[in-house]
Amino acid sequence: MLTIGTLARKTGTKVQTIRYYEQIGLLNEPGRTAGGQRRYAQSDLDRLAFVRHGRQLGFSLDAIRDLLGLSDNPDQSCSQADSIAQQQLVQVQQRILRLQALETELQRMIAECEGGQTGDCRVLEVLRDHSECLTDHDNIGE
Amino acid sequence: MLTIGTLARKTGTKVQTIRYYEQIGLLNEPGRTAGGQRRYAQSDLDRLAFVRHGRQLGFSLDAIRDLLGLSDNPDQSCSQADSIAQQQLVQVQQRILRLQALETELQRMIAECEGGQTGDCRVLEVLRDHSECLTDHDNIGE
DNA sequence: TATAAAGCTATATTCACTAGAGGTTTTTAT
DNA sequence: ATAAAAACCTCTAGTGAATATAGCTTTATA
């Protein structure tokens, strides 16, 4: 029987986070001691490890909830789990593209900044210059 | 004099978001009509555009608050703005690296999944397999 | 047996918005 | 001038995924 602290240590999770997962129904309510403290079995550790691994892969708690359900039903098709992972992959790839575009603009901004007065600061200038960005939203009739 | 809706349209911001920015002190309180509606000047539009552009570049509202302050003090050195942008760049680059590692693992996971029963599903197996991940946090004495 | 460490509940906070209820003002059309 | 529609107002609550705090109780160790 494992205490919540041991579970936390073994999975790299904060104690409060484990209680939070229980609260939102992601983990089963464990048994309690006479004094009311939680005591976990190995299966609880496995389940928490599954959740944490999913989080490390960027899955939302909702997606993890689905994956847990699939994992509990070994007779169902694998294709649902696959499709959840596919969606996650697409999202990750989109995020990478956006961040790379952002990286480029930040680099350009910083490269052009020569450490002078803020009056000439390229960083601030880029932020101030809305000549392009405003017209993205409204270029009709004004 | 611009209404809040016009400001929203011109900057691609939701009306509520503009009111939220005012509430947290990022935008100045604008003038009001006799009936109590907000009316903005061009300078308010410029400031909001600055904020939105900063958000597009991934700056936190706190960072933007600092940048706005620097922008208002043209006598200060540019180096502070530069350093905020540098920090942002580092963060973005770190996020890209993490996401790329994640992308690789997801791709491997999906590639090995052949759409069979969930009992053999590689996606679920990877999530279940904590042989590596547990030892990341606790490999001493248990 | 005393004390320290770990646990407990309950509530609030974070970030950056977003949504909704229920009402008022302004604009537009007739 | 008036009716209707569009836009505005405040206030409150919710999102995701935790994290933090206060004040208390239980368990483990010396």
Side-chain angles (χ1 to χ4, degrees):
Chain A
M1 285 300 157
L2 310 159
T3 64
I4 197 169
T6 309
L7 220 64
R9 209 158 21 81
K10 284 191 182 248
T11 59
T13 313
K14 294 253 162 84
V15 165
Q16 303 103 295
T17 305
I18 298 176
R19 291 197 281 245
Y20 166 71
Y21 286 164
E22 178 188 328
Q23 195 189 306
I24 62 169
L26 209 58
L27 300 180
N28 302 320
E29 292 186 22
R32 300 272 184 150
T33 63
Q37 298 196 354
R38 292 169 178 82
R39 288 297 179 272
Y40 295 92
Q42 179 63 36
S43 60
D44 296 313
L45 175 56
D46 292 344
R47 195 173 171 96
L48 177 56
F50 186 106
V51 172
R52 293 309 286 180
H53 204 167
R55 290 295 296 139
Q56 276 165 29
L57 287 166
F59 289 100
S60 70
L61 291 183
D62 265 0
I64 290 170
R65 204 188 297 272
D66 292 346
L67 289 166
L68 275 169
L70 293 170
S71 184
D72 290 345
N73 288 11
D75 302 331
Q76 270 182 270
S77 162
C78 171
S79 67
Q80 278 177 273
D82 190 58
S83 122
I84 292 171
Q86 284 276 7
Q87 282 172 35
Q88 176 61 16
L89 177 59
V90 169
Q91 275 179 30
V92 166
Q93 285 169 337
Q94 282 170 352
R95 258 184 277 166
I96 289 172
L97 285 178
R98 269 199 301 124
L99 284 173
Q100 280 172 339
L102 218 148
E103 182 189 16
T104 305
E105 196 169 352
L106 282 170
Q107 275 168 338
R108 192 154 43 81
M109 206 161 110
I110 290 166
E112 290 174 15
C113 175
E114 314 268 75
Q117 300 299 102
T118 50
D120 319 316
C121 182
R122 185 66 190 144
V123 170
L124 296 174
E125 212 174 295
V126 168
L127 253 17
R128 271 198 289 260
D129 178 16
H130 47 272
S131 54
E132 303 142 43
C133 98
L134 280 189
T135 50
D136 285 349
H137 311 292
D138 183 2
N139 49 2
I140 329 138
E142 279 172 34
Chain B
M1 285 297 158
L2 310 159
T3 65
I4 196 169
T6 309
L7 220 63
R9 209 160 21 80
K10 283 189 181 246
T11 58
T13 313
K14 295 252 163 81
V15 166
Q16 302 105 291
T17 304
I18 298 175
R19 290 197 282 245
Y20 165 72
Y21 286 163
E22 178 187 329
Q23 196 188 305
I24 62 168
L26 209 57
L27 300 181
N28 302 321
E29 291 187 23
R32 302 271 185 150
T33 63
Q37 298 196 354
R38 291 169 179 81
R39 288 297 180 271
Y40 294 92
Q42 179 64 35
S43 60
D44 296 313
L45 175 58
D46 292 344
R47 194 171 171 99
L48 176 57
F50 186 106
V51 172
R52 294 308 287 178
H53 205 168
R55 291 294 295 140
Q56 277 165 28
L57 287 167
F59 289 99
S60 70
L61 292 182
D62 264 1
I64 290 171
R65 204 188 296 271
D66 290 346
L67 289 166
L68 275 169
L70 293 170
S71 183
D72 290 344
N73 287 13
D75 301 331
Q76 272 183 270
S77 160
C78 172
S79 65
Q80 277 178 272
D82 189 58
S83 121
I84 292 171
Q86 285 277 7
Q87 281 172 37
Q88 176 61 15
L89 176 61
V90 168
Q91 275 179 31
V92 166
Q93 284 169 337
Q94 282 170 353
R95 258 185 277 166
I96 289 173
L97 285 178
R98 270 200 300 125
L99 284 173
Q100 280 172 339
L102 219 148
E103 183 189 17
T104 304
E105 195 169 354
L106 281 170
Q107 274 168 339
R108 192 153 43 80
M109 208 160 109
I110 290 165
E112 291 174 14
C113 174
E114 313 267 76
Q117 300 298 102
T118 50
D120 318 316
C121 182
R122 185 67 190 144
V123 169
L124 295 176
E125 212 175 295
V126 168
L127 253 17
R128 270 198 290 259
D129 178 17
H130 47 272
S131 55
E132 305 142 44
C133 99
L134 280 190
T135 50
D136 285 349
H137 311 295
D138 183 0
N139 50 3
I140 329 140
E142 278 171 35

